[in-house]
Amino acid sequence: MSFDRSIKIAPSILSADFANFGQECRAIEAEGADWVHVDVMDGHFVPNLTFGPATCAAIRPHIKGVMDVHLMIAPVDPYIEAFAKAGADVLTAHVEATPHIHRTLQAIRAAGVRPGVALNPGTPADSVAELLDLVDLVCVMTVNPGFGGQKFIDMSAKIRRLRDMIGDREIHIEIDGGVDPKTAPLVAAAGADVLVAGSAVFRGGSVGNPAPYGDNIRAIRAAARAAQ
Ligand code: DX5
Ligand code: ZN
């Protein structure tokens, strides 16, 4: 995983066919996805349940590139080892999920995985000021986490502030929630480089007809690049 600030599209398999994750992962990569975003929800930190490390391990062989695992769970620490063993390249924990996020991020690094920290829309940029030396990615939520297909919340000012705080450090700014060709330019202009998109990538396509995934990915990427 080399570092650059070019636009990377990370489709969220939350919008994929849950009965065909392997095929869906292969299809989005064939259609131009840069990373595969995997949303882990526990029905406690967020009001929805998805899947855990066993599913991540099962889909890992179907992903050639980066498996970007977004943990919407509390607690986090007891599961880090399992997600590391499942083959996560990036493990992102929420700053709101624990009073000891610093320890959690250290533990992710110690497990040999790249640590990310995510911020809910109501959480200020400054909440990660003391964490920037520990992370490879900051994920700015542009919806309240829990569900795909929600309306984008404009966090441009927070993204700009984070971009300034990050300076020359090799830290990705990832945006998660409501990203589509209309909203992508806003976040790219503010300094984001990894764009998660669920419904806007998978709409119109299927495992039997994956070509629309490619059209959707290209539309988001083109809109973001033009604004970067
Ligand atoms: C929200 C998840 C997102 C979500 C994005 O809780 O973390 O990754 O799947 O889906 P869209 O792009 O549909 O908002
Ligand atoms: Zn996510």
Side-chain angles (χ1 to χ4, degrees):
M1 240 178 104
S2 61
F3 182 87
D4 67 58
R5 291 194 197 284
S6 65
I7 295 294
K8 287 161 284 293
I9 309 296
S12 164
I13 60 165
L14 188 60
S15 295
D17 176 355
F18 271 46
N20 286 298
F21 275 148
Q23 267 179 281
E24 292 276 52
C25 290
R26 293 199 302 272
I28 51 178
E29 284 196 331
E31 293 294 335
D34 299 289
W35 293 10
V36 176
H37 186 82
V38 182
D39 284 310
V40 176
M41 303 187 186
D42 68 351
H44 166 74
F45 179 67
V46 289
N48 194 9
L49 279 166
T50 54
F51 43 73
T55 304
C56 292
I59 65 176
R60 175 72 263 191
H62 302 275
I63 299 171
K64 290 195 196 118
V66 173
M67 184 159 92
D68 173 34
V69 178
H70 179 192
L71 299 176
M72 288 162 275
I73 65 175
V76 178
D77 296 10
Y79 303 103
I80 291 171
E81 202 55 53
F83 283 104
K85 283 210 179 88
D89 295 297
V90 179
L91 262 185
T92 297
H94 270 261
V95 71
E96 306 87 1
T98 164
H100 299 295
I101 186 68
H102 192 286
R103 173 185 294 151
T104 299
L105 296 170
Q106 285 180 318
I108 293 171
R109 179 85 70 195
V113 183
R114 291 170 179 265
V117 65
L119 296 81
N120 283 335
T123 302
D126 282 352
S127 65
V128 300
E130 307 303 325
L131 304 172
L132 293 177
D133 288 334
L134 296 180
V135 297
D136 290 348
L137 176 147
V138 178
C139 174
V140 178
M141 296 302 303
T142 40
V143 297
N144 286 295
F147 303 94
Q150 300 184 84
K151 192 176 173 330
F152 177 82
I153 303 167
D154 191 357
M155 293 278 128
S156 296
K158 191 197 287 188
I159 299 165
R160 284 181 206 281
R161 170 112 182 82
L162 283 165
R163 186 67 197 85
D164 283 350
M165 288 163 65
I166 286 169
D168 292 337
R169 295 175 167 101
E170 294 195 347
I171 300 175
H172 297 289
I173 297 182
E174 177 178 74
I175 306 301
D176 191 1
V179 173
D180 65 18
K182 285 206 184 72
T183 57
L186 298 175
V187 301
D193 63 299
V194 183
L195 275 50
V196 175
S199 43
V201 165
F202 286 91
R203 74 169 56 114
S206 65
V207 282
N209 174 33
Y213 300 165
D215 297 337
N216 295 336
I217 289 169
R218 282 187 291 277
I220 298 167
R221 193 195 306 280
R225 271 193 186 153
Q228 208 181 22

